[in-house]
Structures are given as structure tokens and as C-alpha cells.
Amino acid sequence: MTLVSPTSENLDRAAALLRAGGVVAIPTETVYGLAASALDAIAVARIFEIKERPAFDPLIVHVLDDAMLARVAEDIPERARVLAARFWPGPLTLVLRKAASIPDLVTSGLSTVAVRMPAHPVARALLARAGVPLAAPSANRFGRLSPTRAEHVVNQLGDRVDCIVDGGRSEHGLESTILALEPQVTLLRAGAIPVEALEDVVGSIGIDLSSGGSPVAPGQLARHYAPRTPLRIVEDFVPEAMRTGAAFIGMSQAPPGYAQVRLLSPSGDLRAAAAQLFETLHELDERGLQRIDVAPVPERGLGVAIMDRLRRAAAR
Ligand code: TXA
Ligand code: MG
């Protein structure tokens, strides 16, 4: 780990790490974020691994400007433009329709992506230098407090990240406010911008704290996406006759006779497996198969989150 001050040289170095698939803790005006390129599924898998999140939650994607926003989201409604004009850069996150360039791991397989344009000058300098949108949850271990100083990140994650950029104390010390825009404007997470300030701009806002970042229901959103095709976690032998209309997902090897086989990581790398998982489920779900059989992965590191996701999908 290197804790660095935001000199021009250090910012260049941190941006180069981000472009190369590294994970860098960055200051924002809300809390410190654990950032990786939002276009790089393997780098995003490392975020979950570092946080020891037992489930994959959709992450917030940070953009520098409208040009970067256009690479992340599509069909942006007028209401979003109005809110962005008033509150960006700043601690407001908008749930928008996702562009194809954003890997499914970033959004937990949802068709929407949460986006914000941060105001912190160091976060902006890193976005400008990296030239890619950055996915970043708060830079704490799962279940621990969100960090508002670089030292908090050092204490919780210092031995796990490629770099920590010190940008001083986070101004708000509270995460961004999250809004969904469709079918109506709805508060998903209370945060640094009060609802009243938002209502001054867009009129009355509904509230649905059940699904957006509520600490009592981690991973709840992930359930919005499960394949329509029945999914089973298979520990035992599956009779040959039952394989013909089904797909098999495993790490490195598959039994013979399946209609479709997808191997997530021949080398057994859980990062690569996590990065592939949602994409693979989406793709197989389009094939009208009778069933998807998945071999369990070892429940350590990212394997815990992978198995959590698979059990939710299988529970349907
Ligand atoms: O202030 C913040 O927002 C901080 C800083 C680092 O920017 N980031 C942050 O990210 O709090 P994170 O990953 O801890 O919050 C992600 C939350 C999820 O728990 C989920 O509730 C919501 O954002 N979210 C993400 N994508 C969503 C989506 N497509 N639809 C609805 N909610 C979404
Ligand atoms: Mg958090």
C-alpha cells in the first residue's frame, strides 16, 4: 500500500494504476471510495474481494463530465438533466439506463446503472487523468463504517489496495442521495442532499428505502435479476439424459453431454469467475434452455459472494 498526497505526479501514477486494472482508494466529498475502472470487470471483481462483501451489490459509477456520462448511460430522461444541472458535480446519484460498455458485474445484472459526478477536486483530477468512468463503493470493509479520512482507509484496507490518495477530510461524511427517475422520481437512499432540496427542483418525490442501499437488506437489489431459466447448484452426478437440454457452468471442467458449457475460469481464479458470472447468466438465459446447472465454487474470498448470488438465482 502506498498512501500518497495528491501531487500532480502521484495523481498521474494513481490514474495509470486505474487504467491498468488497479484498485485505488480515492477521496470524494461524501466518503472515500474504493475505485476501479467501471469498464473492467476483473478490476471491479477485485473491489468486492477487497471489501469482503458476501454478496454483489450494484456499485455507483463516477463520471467527470457529460461526455463520460454518455459512455455510461443511455436515454437520459429530461428530469435527470434538470437535476444534474442543479446538483452536479455533487453528492447526488441518479439511476439511469445502462450503456452496453458497463459490465454486468458493476450493476449486479440490472439494466440500470447508478451514476454520479463527484465534486471533490482530487476525484475529478483522477477521473480526468484516468479517462475512464470509475466504479466506487465506500472504501470500508463489509459492515464497517464508511471512511471520511485517508487514515480510516489505511486502517481498514491499507494492506489490500494498490494506492490510497489522501484528499483530506470528506466534506459531507455521508454517502450521496440516490434517486430513481422511472417510472417516477423516487428516493432510494437518503444521503448528503436533503429530499426537500431535490423537491424544490422536481416536485414531490416518492420514497422507497426498501431497495436502495438500505443497510438492513444488503444485496436485496440483486434479486431483481434472476435468470428465467431454472438454475440449480449441482453438487452431485446429473444423469446423462438430463444434460441434453441444459447448460453447465463450472470453473475449469464440465461433465460431457450438456447442450451448452461455460467455463468461468480455467485457472480457477475467482476474480475472473466473478467478472464473467452475470454476463454468462444473461447470455445463457437467452437460449431457451430447460435448465442451467452450476457447479459450486469454494466459499472463500469472492467465492462467498458468487455462491450467495447463485443461491438467490436458484431460489426462484
Ligand atoms: O457517496 C457515495 O455515493 C459513495 C462515494 C464513494 O461516491 N459511494 C457509495 O457507493 O456509497 P456504494 O457502492 O456503497 O452504494 C451503492 C448503492 C447500492 O447499495 C444500491 O443501493 C445503489 O447504490 N444502487 C447502485 N446501483 C443501483 C441501481 N442500478 N438501481 C438502484 N440502486 C442502485
Ligand atoms: Mg457503503
Coordinates of all heavy atoms in Angstrom, one line a residue, residues 199-277:
E199 N -36.8 18.2 -4.1 CA -38.2 18.5 -4.4 C -38.4 20.0 -4.9 O -39.3 20.2 -5.7 CB -39.1 18.2 -3.1 CG -39.2 16.7 -2.9 CD -40.2 16.4 -1.8 OE1 -40.3 17.1 -0.8 OE2 -40.9 15.3 -1.9
D200 N -37.6 20.9 -4.4 CA -37.6 22.2 -4.9 C -37.4 22.3 -6.5 O -37.9 23.2 -7.1 CB -36.6 23.1 -4.3 CG -36.9 23.5 -2.9 OD1 -38.1 23.3 -2.5 OD2 -36.1 24.0 -2.1
V201 N -36.7 21.3 -7.0 CA -36.4 21.2 -8.4 C -37.4 20.4 -9.2 O -37.8 20.8 -10.3 CB -34.9 20.7 -8.6 CG1 -34.6 20.6 -10.1 CG2 -34.0 21.7 -7.9
V202 N -37.8 19.2 -8.7 CA -38.6 18.3 -9.4 C -40.0 18.0 -8.9 O -40.7 17.2 -9.4 CB -37.9 16.9 -9.7 CG1 -36.8 17.0 -10.7 CG2 -37.4 16.3 -8.4
G203 N -40.3 18.7 -7.8 CA -41.6 18.5 -7.2 C -41.6 17.3 -6.3 O -40.5 16.7 -6.0
S204 N -42.8 16.8 -5.9 CA -42.8 15.8 -4.9 C -42.1 14.5 -5.3 O -42.2 14.0 -6.4 CB -44.2 15.6 -4.4 OG -44.6 14.3 -4.5
I205 N -41.4 13.9 -4.3 CA -40.6 12.7 -4.6 C -41.1 11.5 -3.7 O -41.4 11.7 -2.5 CB -39.1 13.0 -4.2 CG1 -38.5 13.9 -5.2 CG2 -38.3 11.7 -4.2 CD1 -37.1 14.4 -4.9
G206 N -41.4 10.4 -4.3 CA -41.8 9.2 -3.6 C -40.6 8.6 -2.8 O -39.4 9.0 -3.1
I207 N -40.9 7.8 -1.9 CA -39.8 7.2 -1.1 C -39.9 5.7 -1.1 O -40.9 5.1 -0.9 CB -39.8 7.7 0.4 CG1 -39.7 9.2 0.4 CG2 -38.8 7.0 1.2 CD1 -39.6 9.8 1.8
D208 N -38.7 5.0 -1.4 CA -38.7 3.6 -1.4 C -37.3 3.2 -0.8 O -36.4 2.9 -1.6 CB -38.9 3.0 -2.8 CG -38.8 1.4 -2.7 OD1 -38.7 0.9 -1.6 OD2 -38.8 0.8 -3.8
L209 N -37.2 3.2 0.5 CA -35.9 2.9 1.1 C -35.7 1.4 1.2 O -34.7 0.9 1.6 CB -35.8 3.6 2.4 CG -35.9 5.1 2.4 CD1 -35.8 5.7 3.7 CD2 -34.9 5.7 1.4
S210 N -36.7 0.6 0.8 CA -36.6 -0.8 0.9 C -35.5 -1.4 0.0 O -34.9 -2.4 0.4 CB -37.9 -1.5 0.7 OG -38.3 -1.3 -0.7
S211 N -35.4 -0.8 -1.1 CA -34.5 -1.5 -2.1 C -33.2 -0.7 -2.4 O -32.3 -1.3 -3.0 CB -35.2 -1.7 -3.4 OG -35.6 -0.4 -3.9
G212 N -33.1 0.5 -1.9 CA -31.9 1.2 -2.3 C -30.9 1.5 -1.2 O -31.0 2.4 -0.4
G213 N -29.9 0.6 -1.1 CA -28.8 0.9 -0.1 C -29.2 0.8 1.3 O -28.5 1.2 2.2
S214 N -30.4 0.2 1.6 CA -30.8 0.0 3.0 C -29.8 -1.0 3.6 O -29.7 -2.1 3.2 CB -32.2 -0.5 3.0 OG -32.5 -1.0 4.3
P215 N -29.2 -0.6 4.8 CA -28.3 -1.5 5.4 C -28.9 -2.8 6.0 O -28.2 -3.7 6.2 CB -27.7 -0.6 6.6 CG -28.7 0.5 6.8 CD -29.4 0.7 5.5
V216 N -30.2 -2.8 6.2 CA -30.9 -4.0 6.7 C -31.1 -5.0 5.6 O -31.4 -6.1 5.8 CB -32.2 -3.7 7.4 CG1 -32.0 -2.9 8.6 CG2 -33.2 -3.1 6.4
A217 N -30.9 -4.6 4.3 CA -31.2 -5.5 3.2 C -30.1 -5.5 2.2 O -30.3 -5.2 1.0 CB -32.5 -5.2 2.6
P218 N -28.9 -5.9 2.6 CA -27.8 -5.8 1.6 C -28.1 -6.9 0.5 O -28.5 -8.0 0.8 CB -26.5 -6.2 2.4 CG -27.0 -7.0 3.6 CD -28.4 -6.4 3.9
G219 N -27.8 -6.4 -0.7 CA -28.0 -7.4 -1.8 C -29.4 -7.6 -2.3 O -29.7 -8.4 -3.2
Q220 N -30.3 -6.9 -1.7 CA -31.7 -7.1 -2.0 C -32.0 -6.8 -3.5 O -32.7 -7.5 -4.1 CB -32.6 -6.2 -1.1 CG -34.1 -6.4 -1.4 CD -34.9 -5.5 -0.5 OE1 -34.4 -4.6 0.2 NE2 -36.2 -5.7 -0.5
L221 N -31.3 -5.7 -3.9 CA -31.5 -5.3 -5.3 C -31.1 -6.4 -6.3 O -31.6 -6.6 -7.4 CB -30.6 -4.1 -5.6 CG -31.4 -2.8 -5.5 CD1 -30.4 -1.7 -5.5 CD2 -32.3 -2.7 -6.7
A222 N -30.1 -7.2 -5.9 CA -29.6 -8.2 -6.8 C -30.7 -9.2 -7.2 O -30.6 -9.8 -8.2 CB -28.4 -9.0 -6.1
R223 N -31.7 -9.3 -6.4 CA -32.7 -10.3 -6.7 C -33.6 -9.8 -7.8 O -34.4 -10.5 -8.3 CB -33.6 -10.5 -5.4 CG -33.2 -11.8 -4.7 CD -33.9 -12.0 -3.4 NE -33.2 -11.4 -2.3 CZ -33.8 -10.7 -1.4 NH1 -35.1 -10.6 -1.4 NH2 -33.1 -10.2 -0.4
H224 N -33.5 -8.5 -8.2 CA -34.3 -8.1 -9.3 C -33.9 -8.8 -10.6 O -34.7 -8.9 -11.5 CB -34.1 -6.6 -9.6 CG -34.8 -5.7 -8.6 ND1 -35.2 -4.4 -8.8 CD2 -35.2 -6.0 -7.3 CE1 -35.8 -3.9 -7.8 NE2 -35.8 -4.9 -6.8
Y225 N -32.7 -9.3 -10.6 CA -32.3 -10.1 -11.8 C -32.1 -11.5 -11.3 O -31.2 -11.8 -10.6 CB -31.1 -9.6 -12.5 CG -30.8 -10.5 -13.6 CD1 -31.5 -10.4 -14.8 CD2 -29.8 -11.4 -13.5 CE1 -31.3 -11.3 -15.8 CE2 -29.6 -12.3 -14.6 CZ -30.3 -12.2 -15.7 OH -30.1 -13.1 -16.7
A226 N -32.9 -12.4 -11.9 CA -32.5 -13.9 -11.8 C -32.9 -14.4 -13.1 O -33.8 -13.9 -13.8 CB -33.3 -14.5 -10.7
P227 N -32.2 -15.4 -13.6 CA -32.5 -15.9 -15.0 C -33.9 -16.5 -15.0 O -34.4 -17.0 -13.9 CB -31.4 -16.9 -15.2 CG -30.8 -17.2 -13.9 CD -31.0 -16.0 -13.0
R228 N -34.6 -16.4 -16.1 CA -35.9 -17.0 -16.2 C -35.7 -18.5 -16.3 O -36.6 -19.3 -15.9 CB -36.6 -16.5 -17.5 CG -37.2 -15.1 -17.3 CD -37.4 -14.5 -18.7 NE -36.1 -14.3 -19.3 CZ -35.9 -14.2 -20.6 NH1 -36.8 -14.4 -21.4 NH2 -34.7 -14.0 -21.1
T229 N -34.6 -19.0 -16.8 CA -34.3 -20.4 -16.9 C -34.1 -20.9 -15.5 O -33.3 -20.3 -14.8 CB -33.1 -20.6 -17.8 OG1 -33.2 -19.8 -19.0 CG2 -32.9 -22.1 -18.1
P230 N -34.7 -22.1 -15.1 CA -34.4 -22.6 -13.8 C -32.9 -22.9 -13.6 O -32.3 -23.4 -14.5 CB -35.2 -23.9 -13.8 CG -36.2 -23.8 -14.9 CD -35.7 -22.8 -15.9
L231 N -32.4 -22.5 -12.5 CA -31.0 -22.7 -12.2 C -30.8 -23.6 -11.0 O -31.6 -23.5 -10.0 CB -30.4 -21.3 -11.9 CG -28.9 -21.3 -11.7 CD1 -28.2 -20.0 -12.3 CD2 -28.6 -21.3 -10.2
R232 N -29.9 -24.5 -11.1 CA -29.6 -25.4 -9.9 C -28.1 -25.4 -9.6 O -27.3 -25.4 -10.5 CB -30.0 -26.9 -10.3 CG -31.5 -27.1 -10.3 CD -31.8 -28.6 -10.3 NE -30.7 -29.4 -11.0 CZ -30.8 -30.7 -11.3 NH1 -31.9 -31.3 -11.0 NH2 -29.8 -31.3 -11.8
I233 N -27.8 -25.5 -8.4 CA -26.5 -25.7 -8.0 C -26.3 -27.2 -7.8 O -27.0 -27.8 -7.1 CB -26.1 -25.0 -6.7 CG1 -26.4 -23.5 -6.8 CG2 -24.7 -25.2 -6.2 CD1 -26.4 -22.7 -5.6
V234 N -25.4 -27.8 -8.6 CA -25.3 -29.2 -8.6 C -24.0 -29.7 -7.9 O -22.9 -29.4 -8.3 CB -25.4 -29.8 -10.1 CG1 -26.7 -29.6 -10.7 CG2 -24.3 -29.2 -11.0
E235 N -24.2 -30.4 -6.9 CA -23.1 -31.0 -6.1 C -22.8 -32.4 -6.6 O -21.7 -32.9 -6.5 CB -23.4 -31.0 -4.6 CG -24.1 -29.8 -4.1 CD -23.1 -28.9 -3.3 OE1 -22.0 -29.3 -3.2 OE2 -23.6 -27.9 -2.8
D236 N -23.8 -33.1 -7.1 CA -23.7 -34.5 -7.4 C -23.8 -34.8 -8.9 O -24.0 -33.9 -9.7 CB -24.8 -35.3 -6.6 CG -24.6 -35.1 -5.2 OD1 -23.5 -35.1 -4.7 OD2 -25.7 -34.9 -4.5
F237 N -23.7 -36.0 -9.1 CA -23.9 -36.6 -10.5 C -25.2 -36.3 -11.1 O -26.3 -36.5 -10.5 CB -23.6 -38.1 -10.4 CG -23.7 -38.7 -11.8 CD1 -22.7 -38.7 -12.7 CD2 -24.9 -39.4 -12.1 CE1 -22.7 -39.3 -13.9 CE2 -25.0 -40.1 -13.3 CZ -23.9 -40.0 -14.2
V238 N -25.2 -35.7 -12.3 CA -26.5 -35.5 -13.0 C -26.6 -36.5 -14.1 O -25.7 -36.6 -14.9 CB -26.5 -34.1 -13.6 CG1 -27.8 -33.9 -14.4 CG2 -26.4 -33.0 -12.5
P239 N -27.7 -37.3 -14.1 CA -27.8 -38.3 -15.2 C -27.6 -37.8 -16.6 O -28.1 -36.7 -16.9 CB -29.2 -38.9 -15.0 CG -29.6 -38.5 -13.6 CD -28.9 -37.3 -13.3
E240 N -27.0 -38.5 -17.4 CA -26.7 -38.1 -18.7 C -27.9 -37.6 -19.5 O -27.8 -36.6 -20.2 CB -26.0 -39.3 -19.5 CG -25.3 -38.9 -20.8 CD -23.8 -39.1 -20.6 OE1 -23.3 -39.9 -19.8 OE2 -23.1 -38.3 -21.3
A241 N -29.0 -38.3 -19.4 CA -30.2 -38.0 -20.1 C -30.7 -36.6 -19.7 O -31.5 -35.9 -20.5 CB -31.3 -39.0 -19.8
M242 N -30.4 -36.1 -18.5 CA -30.9 -34.8 -18.1 C -30.0 -33.6 -18.5 O -30.2 -32.5 -18.2 CB -31.0 -34.8 -16.6 CG -32.2 -35.6 -16.1 SD -32.3 -35.5 -14.3 CE -32.7 -33.8 -14.0
R243 N -28.9 -34.0 -19.2 CA -27.9 -32.9 -19.6 C -28.2 -32.3 -21.0 O -27.8 -31.2 -21.3 CB -26.5 -33.5 -19.6 CG -26.1 -34.0 -18.3 CD -24.7 -34.6 -18.3 NE -24.4 -35.5 -17.2 CZ -23.4 -36.4 -17.2 NH1 -22.6 -36.4 -18.2 NH2 -23.2 -37.2 -16.2
T244 N -29.0 -33.0 -21.8 CA -29.0 -32.7 -23.2 C -29.7 -31.3 -23.4 O -29.3 -30.6 -24.3 CB -29.8 -33.7 -24.0 OG1 -31.0 -34.0 -23.4 CG2 -29.0 -35.0 -24.2
G245 N -30.7 -31.0 -22.7 CA -31.4 -29.7 -22.9 C -30.9 -28.6 -22.0 O -31.5 -27.5 -21.9
A246 N -29.8 -28.9 -21.3 CA -29.4 -27.9 -20.2 C -28.0 -27.4 -20.5 O -27.3 -27.8 -21.3 CB -29.4 -28.7 -18.9
A247 N -27.7 -26.3 -19.7 CA -26.4 -25.7 -19.8 C -25.6 -26.0 -18.5 O -26.2 -26.2 -17.5 CB -26.5 -24.2 -19.9
F248 N -24.3 -26.0 -18.6 CA -23.5 -26.2 -17.4 C -22.5 -25.1 -17.3 O -21.9 -24.7 -18.2 CB -22.7 -27.5 -17.6 CG -21.8 -27.8 -16.4 CD1 -22.3 -28.5 -15.3 CD2 -20.5 -27.4 -16.4 CE1 -21.5 -28.8 -14.2 CE2 -19.7 -27.7 -15.3 CZ -20.2 -28.4 -14.2
I249 N -22.5 -24.6 -16.0 CA -21.4 -23.5 -15.7 C -20.5 -24.1 -14.7 O -21.0 -24.5 -13.6 CB -22.1 -22.2 -15.2 CG1 -23.1 -21.7 -16.2 CG2 -21.0 -21.2 -14.9 CD1 -23.8 -20.4 -15.7
G250 N -19.2 -24.1 -15.0 CA -18.3 -24.5 -14.0 C -17.0 -23.6 -14.0 O -17.0 -22.6 -14.8
M251 N -16.1 -24.0 -13.2 CA -14.8 -23.2 -13.2 C -13.9 -23.6 -14.4 O -13.6 -22.8 -15.2 CB -14.1 -23.3 -11.9 CG -14.7 -22.6 -10.7 SD -14.6 -20.8 -10.9 CE -13.0 -20.5 -10.2
S252 N -13.5 -24.9 -14.4 CA -12.5 -25.3 -15.3 C -12.8 -26.5 -16.1 O -12.2 -26.8 -17.1 CB -11.2 -25.4 -14.6 OG -11.3 -26.4 -13.5
Q253 N -13.8 -27.3 -15.6 CA -14.1 -28.5 -16.4 C -15.6 -28.9 -16.2 O -16.3 -28.5 -15.3 CB -13.3 -29.7 -15.9 CG -13.2 -29.9 -14.4 CD -12.2 -30.9 -14.1 OE1 -12.1 -32.0 -14.7 NE2 -11.4 -30.7 -13.0
A254 N -16.1 -29.6 -17.3 CA -17.5 -29.9 -17.3 C -17.7 -31.4 -17.6 O -16.9 -32.0 -18.4 CB -18.2 -29.1 -18.4
P255 N -18.8 -32.0 -17.1 CA -19.2 -33.3 -17.5 C -19.6 -33.4 -18.9 O -20.1 -32.3 -19.4 CB -20.3 -33.7 -16.5 CG -20.6 -32.5 -15.7 CD -19.8 -31.4 -16.1
P256 N -19.5 -34.5 -19.6 CA -19.9 -34.5 -21.1 C -21.5 -34.5 -21.2 O -22.2 -34.7 -20.2 CB -19.4 -35.8 -21.5 CG -19.3 -36.7 -20.3 CD -19.0 -35.7 -19.2
G257 N -21.9 -34.1 -22.4 CA -23.3 -34.2 -22.7 C -24.2 -33.0 -22.6 O -25.4 -33.1 -22.9
Y258 N -23.7 -31.9 -22.0 CA -24.5 -30.7 -21.9 C -24.7 -30.0 -23.2 O -23.7 -30.0 -24.1 CB -23.9 -29.8 -20.9 CG -24.3 -30.1 -19.5 CD1 -23.4 -30.8 -18.6 CD2 -25.5 -29.7 -18.9 CE1 -23.8 -31.1 -17.3 CE2 -25.8 -30.0 -17.6 CZ -25.0 -30.7 -16.8 OH -25.3 -31.0 -15.5
A259 N -25.8 -29.4 -23.4 CA -26.1 -28.6 -24.7 C -25.1 -27.4 -24.8 O -24.7 -27.0 -25.8 CB -27.5 -28.2 -24.7
Q260 N -24.9 -26.8 -23.6 CA -24.0 -25.6 -23.6 C -23.1 -25.7 -22.4 O -23.6 -26.1 -21.3 CB -24.8 -24.3 -23.4 CG -25.8 -24.0 -24.6 CD -25.1 -23.5 -25.8 OE1 -24.0 -23.0 -25.8 NE2 -25.7 -23.8 -27.0
V261 N -21.9 -25.3 -22.6 CA -20.9 -25.4 -21.4 C -20.2 -24.0 -21.4 O -19.7 -23.5 -22.4 CB -19.9 -26.5 -21.6 CG1 -18.8 -26.4 -20.6 CG2 -20.5 -27.9 -21.4
R262 N -20.2 -23.4 -20.2 CA -19.4 -22.2 -20.0 C -18.4 -22.4 -18.8 O -18.9 -22.7 -17.7 CB -20.3 -21.0 -19.7 CG -21.3 -20.7 -20.8 CD -20.7 -20.1 -22.0 NE -21.7 -19.9 -23.0 CZ -22.2 -20.7 -23.9 NH1 -21.7 -22.0 -23.9 NH2 -23.1 -20.4 -24.8
L263 N -17.2 -22.2 -19.1 CA -16.2 -22.3 -18.0 C -15.7 -20.9 -17.6 O -15.3 -20.2 -18.5 CB -15.0 -23.2 -18.5 CG -15.5 -24.6 -18.8 CD1 -14.3 -25.5 -19.3 CD2 -16.2 -25.3 -17.6
L264 N -15.9 -20.6 -16.4 CA -15.7 -19.2 -15.9 C -14.2 -18.9 -15.8 O -13.8 -17.8 -15.9 CB -16.4 -19.0 -14.6 CG -18.0 -19.1 -14.7 CD1 -18.6 -18.9 -13.3 CD2 -18.6 -18.1 -15.7
S265 N -13.4 -19.9 -15.4 CA -12.0 -19.6 -15.2 C -11.2 -20.9 -15.2 O -11.1 -21.6 -14.2 CB -11.7 -18.8 -13.9 OG -10.3 -18.8 -13.7
P266 N -10.6 -21.2 -16.3 CA -9.8 -22.5 -16.4 C -8.7 -22.5 -15.4 O -8.3 -23.6 -14.9 CB -9.2 -22.4 -17.8 CG -10.2 -21.6 -18.6 CD -10.7 -20.6 -17.6
S267 N -8.2 -21.3 -14.9 CA -7.1 -21.4 -14.0 C -7.7 -21.4 -12.5 O -6.9 -21.3 -11.6 CB -6.2 -20.1 -14.2 OG -7.0 -19.0 -13.9
G268 N -9.0 -21.4 -12.4 CA -9.6 -21.4 -11.0 C -9.6 -20.1 -10.3 O -9.7 -20.0 -9.1
D269 N -9.4 -19.0 -11.1 CA -9.3 -17.7 -10.5 C -10.7 -17.1 -10.2 O -11.5 -16.9 -11.1 CB -8.6 -16.8 -11.5 CG -8.5 -15.3 -11.1 OD1 -8.9 -15.0 -9.9 OD2 -8.0 -14.5 -11.9
L270 N -11.0 -16.9 -8.9 CA -12.4 -16.5 -8.6 C -12.7 -15.1 -9.1 O -13.8 -14.7 -9.3 CB -12.5 -16.6 -7.0 CG -12.6 -18.0 -6.5 CD1 -12.5 -17.9 -4.9 CD2 -13.9 -18.7 -6.9
R271 N -11.7 -14.2 -9.2 CA -11.9 -12.9 -9.8 C -12.4 -13.0 -11.2 O -13.4 -12.3 -11.5 CB -10.6 -12.2 -9.9 CG -10.4 -11.2 -8.8 CD -9.0 -10.6 -9.0 NE -8.3 -10.6 -7.7 CZ -7.0 -10.4 -7.5 NH1 -6.2 -10.3 -8.6 NH2 -6.5 -10.4 -6.3
A272 N -11.8 -13.8 -12.0 CA -12.2 -13.9 -13.4 C -13.6 -14.5 -13.4 O -14.5 -14.2 -14.2 CB -11.2 -14.8 -14.1
A273 N -13.9 -15.5 -12.5 CA -15.2 -16.1 -12.4 C -16.3 -15.1 -12.1 O -17.3 -15.0 -12.7 CB -15.2 -17.3 -11.4
A274 N -16.0 -14.3 -11.1 CA -17.0 -13.2 -10.7 C -17.2 -12.3 -11.8 O -18.4 -11.9 -12.1 CB -16.5 -12.5 -9.5
A275 N -16.2 -11.9 -12.5 CA -16.3 -11.0 -13.6 C -17.1 -11.5 -14.8 O -17.8 -10.7 -15.5 CB -14.9 -10.6 -14.1
Q276 N -17.2 -12.8 -14.9 CA -17.9 -13.5 -16.0 C -19.3 -13.8 -15.7 O -20.2 -14.1 -16.5 CB -17.2 -14.8 -16.4 CG -16.0 -14.6 -17.2 CD -16.3 -13.9 -18.5 OE1 -17.3 -14.3 -19.2 NE2 -15.5 -12.9 -18.9
L277 N -19.6 -14.0 -14.4 CA -20.8 -14.7 -13.9 C -22.1 -14.1 -14.5 O -22.9 -14.8 -15.1 CB -20.9 -14.7 -12.4 CG -22.1 -15.4 -11.8 CD1 -22.1 -16.9 -12.2 CD2 -22.1 -15.3 -10.3

